[in-house]
């Protein structure tokens, strides 16, 4: 069991061993795509999604609401030209009780985010902030890393990777 902020999480290896043949679909994100940020290397929760490209108003809007230990999955189209999330938005996530954020794109202010009590995965860092012109889509189906992320499904993250399941695994 791995300690997260307030709960125990089985390792992804153990979850895979226990559930690889379960009737609920189990998907593992392609390894090596995401870097770890934030103080929590392990986190899990029910998925909420935002699809946006180089513009983050909807990310801020969603993370400004109570997270109830959910994980926000942001499909930024894999862009590495701007950062979708910085320290101010990450602080909103912490203040509103989100377990973590997975960004298919870049973040900025990584040194500050690394001091926050949240788990973050992103493709990398970029110092330029995002645009604010495109609102984005909430609860959109997001596909990246060989996995479909669906609002209401569950995601589990640790040092070994990212695992998605239609149902809770523990």
């Amino acid at each position: 069991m791995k300690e997260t902020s307030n709960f125990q999480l089985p390792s992804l290896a153990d979850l895979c061993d226990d559930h690889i043949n379960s009737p609920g679909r189990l998907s593992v994100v392609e390894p090596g795509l995401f870097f770890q940020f934030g103080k929590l290397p392990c986190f899990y929760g029910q998925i909420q999604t935002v699809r946006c490209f180089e513009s983050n108003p909807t990310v801020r809007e969603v993370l400004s609401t109570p997270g109830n230990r959910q994980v926000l999955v942001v499909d930024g189209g894999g862009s590495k030209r701007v950062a979708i999330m910085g320290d101010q938005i990450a602080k909103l996530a912490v203040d509103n009780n989100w377990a973590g954020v997975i960004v298919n794109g870049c973040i900025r202010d990584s040194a500050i985010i690394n001091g926050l009590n949240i788990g973050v995965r992103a493709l990398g860092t970029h110092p330029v902030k995002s645009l604010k012109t495109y609102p984005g889509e909430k609860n959109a189906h997001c596909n990246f890393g060989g996995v479909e992320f669906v609002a209401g499904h569950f995601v589990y993250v640790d040092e070994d990777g990212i695992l998605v399941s239609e149902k809770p695994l523990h």
Side-chain angles (χ1 to χ4, degrees), residues 9 13 26 40 58 68 72 76 82 99 109 112 128 137 150 158 164:
L9 175 66
L26 195 68
L40 300 180
T58 306
N68 302 314
L72 181 63
V82 299
D109 306 311
I112 296 169
V128 176
E137 301 172 61
V150 178
D158 75 6
V164 176

Side-chain angles (χ1 to χ4, degrees), residues 112-163:
I112 296 169
I113 291 172
N114 285 339
L116 298 177
N117 198 34
I118 192 164
V120 176
R121 293 295 188 277
L123 297 179
T125 61
H126 199 291
V128 176
K129 67 182 177 180
S130 77
L131 305 171
K132 311 293 183 226
T133 54
Y134 173 66
E137 301 172 61
K138 291 186 224 176
N139 299 316
H141 285 223
C142 299
N143 291 285
F144 56 86
V147 170
E148 181 178 36
F149 295 88
V150 178
H153 288 185
F154 294 83
V155 64
Y156 297 81
V157 181
D158 75 6
E159 299 88 346
D160 288 341
I162 301 171
L163 175 68

